[in-house]
Amino acid sequence: MSAPPTPQRLLAPGRCRVVGVVNVTADSFSDGGRFLAPDDAVARGLALTAAGADVVDVGGESTRPGAGRVDAAEELRRVVPVVRELAAHGVAVSVDTMRAEVAVAAVRAGAVLVNDVSGGLADPAMAPAVAGLDAGYVLSHWRGHSDVMTSLADYGDVVADVERELSQRLDAVAAAGVDPGRVVLDPGLGFAKVAEHDWALLAALPRLAALGRPLLVGASRKRFLGTLLADGGGRALPPAARDDATAAVSALAAAAGAWGVRVHEAAASAAAVRVARAWAAASAAGERAGAGVP
């Protein structure tokens, strides 16, 4: 079995990465309970990898709207064995956690990326801990925990506000010792945001890229897609029926230059990002030919 890629290789420029989700939880909004057993979670991670995922993101705590927290011991019990086994199979593993102690344990078990949806705000120890790890760090826009975040979706200009708040968090983690070159930014779709905010942020990916760091887009199966695809009676499409729309977002995010897309099903998004890359390459070749450049 090959070794997982180093964080430096994983974060290097290239095609848009597909980050497959493994929720080792009982209450995630889309697939809670399906992969709670470690063997099931490992099998799911391997299946996502076989379907085209470049990274498998393992999380032991739901962050759906209204979710309660699990304690650290339970999160560790859920996550670490799965991370260790997937890494032993050569899988590039990310750990989805807001706790420094879980991040440290997961990286020691083989994770190469820490995906912190709170951007270091939920645990003040996170940034100093990440600074001492050989791992990349996904820093998301976040305003509060799942039980209160809906009430925090108040923006003057959502793009400008998210841009400013991400920049502030990037400065803060850098001041705590995290190498900015190891940071990926995530606009936090659905976290303290309603549908109109999510669409505005997707349309503004090139502007957010001006912050100078790679971008991860986590649109998979989220509520704003279900609302868009509501039936004639106004009933939102259920999460598992949103994968086609997710793949469409993956293609558009890749075309906009996103470093990665986080998805529940890998195959369609893996195809989508390859299409986007081929399209971009053909467009660039056409522009060079039109300009008379060999």
Side-chain angles (χ1 to χ4, degrees):
M1 298 175 195
S2 60
T6 64
Q8 293 76 18
R9 193 172 124 214
L10 185 63
L11 298 179
R15 69 170 173 81
C16 182
R17 276 72 167 184
V18 176
V19 180
V21 178
V22 175
N23 289 317
V24 193
T25 61
D27 58 343
S28 290
F29 80 96
S30 174
D31 54 9
R34 287 185 61 197
F35 310 113
L36 188 56
D39 288 349
D40 292 338
V42 171
R44 179 59 175 167
L46 295 175
L48 286 166
T49 301
D54 301 287
V55 182
V56 172
D57 192 36
V58 178
E61 180 177 47
S62 174
T63 53
R64 64 172 174 78
R69 302 207 68 187
V70 299
D71 62 35
E74 175 64 11
E75 189 180 355
L76 286 163
R77 186 191 68 78
R78 293 176 177 182
V79 165
V80 172
V82 178
V83 171
R84 182 178 293 112
E85 187 67 18
L86 287 172
H89 280 81
V91 175
V93 182
S94 168
V95 60
D96 177 4
T97 185
M98 294 183 281
R99 289 187 171 103
E101 66 180 296
V102 177
V104 170
V107 172
R108 288 175 177 167
V112 294
L113 195 65
V114 176
N115 179 15
D116 177 7
V117 300
S118 81
L121 289 169
D123 184 351
M126 179 65 89
V130 169
L133 298 174
D134 184 19
Y137 182 55
V138 179
L139 184 161
S140 294
H141 179 265
W142 188 84
R143 285 184 164 183
H145 286 289
S146 297
D147 57 344
V148 298
M149 67 180 179
T150 302
S151 67
L152 302 175
D154 183 18
Y155 301 90
D157 176 328
V158 68
V159 174
D161 291 350
V162 168
E163 181 181 33
R164 183 183 67 256
E165 290 169 31
L166 279 174
S167 180
Q168 290 170 345
R169 292 308 305 154
L170 183 59
D171 289 345
V173 301
V178 177
D179 177 1
R182 292 196 283 120
V183 176
V184 174
L185 299 178
D186 183 336
L189 302 180
F191 289 89
K193 297 170 189 76
V194 298
E196 66 187 78
H197 299 144
D198 293 330
W199 289 117
L201 289 165
L202 285 171
L205 288 178
R207 176 173 169 180
L208 296 177
L211 290 170
R213 299 309 310 140
L215 296 177
L216 176 65
V217 174
S220 184
R221 296 183 175 178
K222 287 194 173 174
R223 183 167 47 189
F224 75 103
L225 296 178
T227 301
L228 174 72
L229 303 172
D231 64 20
R235 290 181 295 272
L237 205 64
R242 301 171 190 170
D243 288 330
D244 289 345
T246 296
V249 174
S250 294
L252 293 167
W259 168 85
V261 289
R262 184 179 183 273
V263 299
H264 293 82
E265 294 291 346
S269 284
V273 301
R274 287 172 188 247
V275 168
R277 188 182 192 194
W279 190 309
S283 297
E287 290 172 3
R288 287 196 300 271
V293 178

